[in-house]
Amino acid sequence: MRPARALIDLEALRHNYRLAREVSGARALAVVKADAYGHGAVRCAQALEDEADGFAVACIEEALELRAAGIRKPVLLLEGFFEADELELIQEHEFWTVVHSGWQLEVIERASIGKPLTVWLKMDSGMHRVGLHPAEYRDAYQRLSASGKVAKIVLMSHFARADELGSSSSAEQVAVFEAARAGLVADVSLRNSPAVLGWPQVPSDWVRPGIMLYGATPFEVAHPLAERLQPVMTLESKIISVRELPAGQPVGYGARFVTERLTRVGVVAMGYADGYPRHAPTGTPVAIDGQPSRLIGRVSMDMLTVDLTDLPQAGLGSRVELWGKQVLASEVAMAAGTIPYQIFCNLRRVPLVYG
């Protein structure tokens, strides 16, 4: 069988969740949207259910998948509901829902609610994606409270630039949020992964760790807490072909790499159809039988090529780590001009193997 696979270390996942709880001192919703960032939402949720305070997903389809798998902890719909008839499922399965728009508030006010909802009321404090305008926020809170259809309200917002530790944007968003919610008595949730790690002064009764759960840093610079994260996914494959080329020979599509010396080239069963970033350039790190090496040439649909010249013991069948505990996903993502979130979520066709 094709040797490409992604090993998922569930104990590392639990370690990272515990780190989020430890450094925040808050309750934590484990964010498992987008199939747990490509790591398998059901298996990740099952691994965390005994200790997680709850889970967060993007939409009701993802939430229903967790319930069908037996997950009973609270599940928050981060984008709320898209149609009024979803409220019936939200009540039936006791999901928590974000309310970020006036129309959602109106739907709740008009709905027949058998069991009061838990609502996370989202403010647009400066990201300008979704969320109620600060001037509308107090009125929305009061309307929900007066509706008789809501048992609990959590006040929330989302940072646009928390991964930029030198930016004043997060402090400005906190100021907007605090001014708009002054006097409202409710739990607060502001901190996502970069804010959990990098903004300890931000108030949050609930935190929402996402990318940090999977062991990838949200920062482009070193950070002491991020260094305590443990990579959860190891993407690996094997060398399936080896050839020696003299100097001056092109390798792969477009002749983007030309040998400068006698070069041993290894072909790896991994490509952009598997989700490995197509734009990863020559020099992107890999590890071959535990030894550092590099990608050479353009990534193909099903294969890529690596440099074996200085690894005389490597050859057919050698294990290649594309990212994981030795080659960090953040390093690969940076080389390819993207972010770990994307390379994890782009994985497909590669079987997930849990341990």
Side-chain angles (χ1 to χ4, degrees), residues 108-345:
I108 290 174
E109 288 179 316
R110 293 194 303 265
S112 174
I113 301 290
K115 185 174 183 179
L117 305 171
T118 293
V119 168
W120 288 47
L121 187 62
K122 188 166 190 176
M123 182 195 302
D124 176 9
S125 60
M127 186 163 180
H128 303 322
R129 189 174 61 181
V130 295
L132 295 161
H133 190 279
E136 305 171 314
Y137 199 67
R138 181 179 302 274
D139 179 64
Y141 174 90
Q142 292 171 341
R143 286 168 61 185
L144 285 172
S145 298
S147 70
K149 299 173 182 180
V150 174
K152 180 179 177 65
I153 301 174
V154 177
L155 312 179
M156 72 177 298
S157 192
H158 192 70
F159 291 126
R161 300 175 65 182
D163 57 328
E164 300 175 37
L165 296 173
S167 172
S168 63
S169 173
S170 296
E172 292 164 2
Q173 285 192 247
V174 171
V176 169
F177 179 83
E178 291 293 347
R181 71 108 177 183
L184 302 183
V185 179
D187 285 349
V188 167
S189 178
L190 292 178
R191 295 166 70 186
N192 54 3
S193 287
V196 167
L197 296 170
W199 298 88
Q201 71 277 21
V202 172
S204 237
D205 301 293
W206 289 86
V207 296
R208 309 186 303 273
I211 193 65
M212 70 174 293
L213 285 183
Y214 308 102
T217 178
F219 307 118
E220 292 186 357
V221 297
H223 189 281
L225 288 178
E227 290 175 0
R228 293 174 59 188
L229 296 171
Q230 296 181 5
V232 173
M233 177 189 291
T234 298
L235 182 65
E236 66 174 29
S237 191
K238 291 182 178 180
I239 301 289
I240 60 171
S241 177
V242 179
R243 67 197 61 245
E244 286 195 355
L245 298 175
Q249 292 299 302
V251 175
Y253 286 120
R256 294 300 176 89
F257 175 81
V258 178
T259 58
E260 297 178 348
R261 57 173 177 162
L262 180 65
T263 302
R264 290 182 73 231
V265 177
V267 179
V268 183
M270 177 66 63
Y272 61 76
D274 300 297
Y276 190 86
R278 180 178 181 270
H279 297 294
T282 290
T284 299
V286 299
I288 302 170
D289 289 336
Q291 300 300 309
S293 188
R294 61 175 182 151
L295 180 76
I296 55 176
R298 182 180 283 176
V299 176
S300 302
M301 181 179 288
D302 309 293
M303 293 176 280
L304 54 82
T305 44
V306 295
D307 192 350
L308 301 180
T309 309
D310 297 325
L311 301 174
Q313 303 305 314
L316 283 175
S318 287
R319 176 184 177 272
V320 181
E321 180 181 303
L322 288 310
W323 64 68
K325 299 187 185 303
Q326 185 171 355
V327 178
L328 297 182
S330 56
E331 296 174 331
V332 176
M334 184 173 294
T338 185
I339 54 178
Y341 303 74
Q342 185 180 43
I343 65 173
F344 288 152
C345 290

Side-chain angles (χ1 to χ4, degrees), residues 20-100:
R21 289 284 308 269
E22 173 194 335
V23 301
S24 68
R27 288 165 287 177
L29 291 184
V31 180
V32 294
K33 64 180 180 176
D35 199 28
Y37 295 44
H39 292 66
V42 167
R43 290 296 298 272
C44 288
Q46 288 171 338
L48 290 172
E49 187 170 28
D50 286 347
E51 53 191 302
D53 297 303
F55 299 95
V57 297
C59 56
I60 200 162
E61 293 88 345
E62 294 178 338
L64 289 170
E65 181 184 30
L66 296 187
R67 285 288 189 259
I71 301 299
R72 304 265 61 90
K73 286 288 181 70
V75 180
L76 174 67
L77 310 179
L78 288 169
E79 295 178 27
F81 51 90
F82 301 92
E83 304 289 342
D85 58 9
E86 291 177 26
L87 277 180
E88 184 176 344
L89 287 171
I90 289 172
Q91 294 179 77
E92 178 184 349
H93 295 282
E94 299 183 324
F95 296 141
W96 297 353
T97 184
V98 165
V99 167
H100 59 73

